[in-house]
Amino acid sequence: MKNPNNPMARQNGLVVQEMPDEVLVYDLDSNKAHCLNQSAALVWRSCDGDKSVMDIVREFESNGKGKVTEDFVWLAIDQLSENGLMEGNIPQRFQGQSRRQVLKTIGLVSMVAVPVIASLVAPKSALGAVCCTCAVAADCTPKTACPSQTVCNANSICAP
């Protein structure tokens, strides 16, 4: 049963692509793409509403990712929340502190990668509406502004 006091990762409105060393998350609502490093991804996947922060610490350590503190997990949750990847309104644990102060607070015991989320804004979906895809050459019209208005190639693109 989900506990409202436990962190819960957002699942709806996201496209998730698992990569070997990171997780790519595209937010359909905000048109933002997020790249979660291994540490941030492990915390995000663990935030299921069933696990407490201490449970996530134990899970992190049992997966052989190194020894971490609750503050380490809270740093990841803060970043995930700031980027709209968590459910609900989670109060910021390190609000108003500099990155240097936060890293001192975390006090990493081993060489564990600090949770990092790199984000960028993707173009609005309306900008992607102009395309040069086709089923037949008649689909390639001057209105589509494609390289060819007469050829629908083997890849279904209006181009030679």
Side-chain angles (χ1 to χ4, degrees):
M1 186 169 90
K2 307 287 183 221
N3 181 336
N5 296 321
N6 290 340
M8 176 93 152
R10 185 173 144 220
Q11 300 297 317
N12 295 328
L14 302 176
V15 177
V16 179
Q17 178 67 49
E18 301 275 341
M19 305 298 283
D21 292 328
E22 59 197 13
V23 173
L24 305 175
V25 181
Y26 180 73
D27 186 335
L28 296 168
D29 298 334
S30 67
N31 288 318
K32 286 186 179 178
H34 308 281
C35 179
L36 285 59
N37 73 355
Q38 280 185 332
S39 299
L42 190 124
V43 171
W44 186 64
R45 280 189 223 104
S46 299
C47 290
D48 59 6
D50 290 329
K51 295 180 189 86
S52 68
V53 170
M54 196 60 215
D55 293 335
I56 296 170
V57 167
R58 284 190 285 272
E59 185 172 328
F60 197 98
E61 293 174 353
S62 71
N63 284 334
K65 302 297 183 189
K67 187 163 178 56
V68 298
T69 63
E70 284 188 60
D71 285 332
F72 178 92
V73 173
W74 274 112
L75 174 62
I77 291 170
D78 282 358
Q79 291 181 39
L80 291 162
S81 184
E82 284 174 20
N83 286 287
L85 299 177
M86 299 296 290
E87 292 287 344
N89 188 12
I90 299 172
Q92 294 287 305
R93 178 79 168 235
F94 298 106
Q95 189 169 15
Q97 292 185 26
S98 72
R99 185 168 175 80
R100 183 182 303 250
Q101 289 169 320
V102 171
L103 292 175
K104 278 184 181 179
T105 301
I106 291 173
L108 298 177
V109 176
S110 65
M111 294 299 291
V112 177
V114 173
V116 174
I117 301 169
S119 303
L120 63 94
V121 177
K124 298 260 184 224
S125 57
L127 297 176
V130 176
C131 71
C132 297
T133 59
C134 56
V136 295
D139 294 340
C140 303
T141 65
K143 290 180 184 176
T144 60
C146 298
S148 172
Q149 271 79 56
T150 58
V151 177
C152 181
N153 70 19
N155 296 321
S156 299
I157 298 174
C158 298

